[in-house]
Each structure stands twice: as structure tokens, then as C-alpha cells.
Amino acid sequence: WTLQEYKTDIETKHALWAKDLGLHAPTMSYKTNLQFVNELKKCVDFLNFQTPPNLRVPIDMLVAQAVLESGWGTSRFAEEANNLFGIRTWDKDKGVLPIGMSEKTPWRVRSFETKCDSVQEYMNLLNYHSAYVDFRELRTKMFKNNEKLDARKLIKTLHAFSTTADYDKRVINMMNQVDEVLMNEDWKKVDSEIQIE
């Protein structure tokens, strides 16, 4: 317990130090599903560099949600608003109106300066919005027990993220698809290394 507390304290101080460096988020440029996942992971690495460990979100859950919500980064909202998660705003001047919705619709899909900014906002929502208390409590329990954050358990706590009844199952399915994309790439690397030898 003492070692865990010491490690957490050091990592938190490191995150605050990193934040003060004024580094810039990586730009996300991609043409394929694999490139999208890799660019997204670079963004998460950058954000985690300046985020205390107890406020981080499991990367496999985050990536799967971004893939699901943005169609591998190709949706209109990803391209026009840099929004990878369908995050809404009630300020009509700060978002994009979904096609087919009336101008009287009180909300918009929020626009961000960069795609990485939308990832930061997603993390902020999970860390501070009252709708995600269950997520934070389960994450804290896992963290205190020195367990790896289990994305498949944590996604079941995000009831408010989507109105889709089986949202957690869809995200878990997407995690499996992302794993397949990454595994196929790993096999391609192994195959090319064998051919070179």
C-alpha cells in the first residue's frame, strides 16, 4: 500500500510537471483504420503524460468508443467538428447541427479545435461529470486494489453516454475489432521480417 501511494504521488507530480512544459498535442492525420488507431494512441499518450494515473481512462475503451462514435474517424462530425465522441453542446454557436435536425434543436454536436481536444473533453466528462460517478468509483476500486483497469467492466458503468440499450456490448465488440486490426498488422510485420531473412 505504501509503495502504491508513493508511486501515485510521484506520477502525479510528474504529470503536473509535464503539464507545465507547454507541449502541444500531436496532430491526427490518418487514411486507414490502423493509422487512426495509432494516431489516437499518440494523442492519449500525450494526454496521459500530463494526467495523474488515477484520472486516466483505459486506452482500449477510449479507442473503441472513438471508433464506434466516429466511424474510424471518418464521420462528418469527426471531419467538420474534430469531434470523435459525439459530445454535445447547448451553445448553438459552438457546434454542428446534425443533418435532418431542425434549427430549433436546442443542442449541437460540439466543435473542437483539434481531434485531440475532443479526446481531452471525453476524459474530462468521465472524470468530472455527475453522470459518470459509477465509472469513477469502479476505477478507484481497481486502482486501490492495484488491478489493471478492466475496460470491459468499466464500459458497463457508462449508462449515460448513449441512449442505445446495448451500448456496452457494441463497445466491447469494437474493442475486439480494434484488436483484430492491430493483430493483423503485427502478423504483417512478422511475415515481412521472415521474408527479409
Side-chain angles (χ1 to χ4, degrees), residues 87 110 112 116-126:
I87 297 167
R110 185 169 161 192
F112 292 93
C116 208
D117 287 343
S118 77
V119 176
Q120 178 68 75
E121 183 59 18
Y122 161 86
M123 292 170 70
N124 290 342
L125 286 170
L126 295 190

Side-chain angles (χ1 to χ4, degrees), residues 1-8 11 53 138-150:
W1 180 86
T2 304
L3 285 172
Q4 179 64 29
E5 286 296 305
Y6 179 73
K7 181 180 176 193
T8 301
E11 288 178 339
L138 181 55
R139 179 181 61 185
T140 298
K141 183 180 173 187
M142 290 174 175
F143 191 74
K144 283 188 175 177
N145 291 336
N146 206 21
E147 299 171 18
K148 184 176 186 260
L149 295 183
D150 188 334

Side-chain angles (χ1 to χ4, degrees), residues 5-6 17-18 33 71 74-75 78 80 88 90 101 112 116 127 137 143 150 170 195:
E5 286 296 305
Y6 179 73
W17 167 80
N33 292 351
T74 64
S75 71
E80 291 182 20
R88 295 181 180 182
W90 275 258
M101 301 285 282
F112 292 93
C116 208
N127 282 323
E137 287 177 352
F143 191 74
D150 188 334
R170 291 181 185 209
Q195 288 176 13

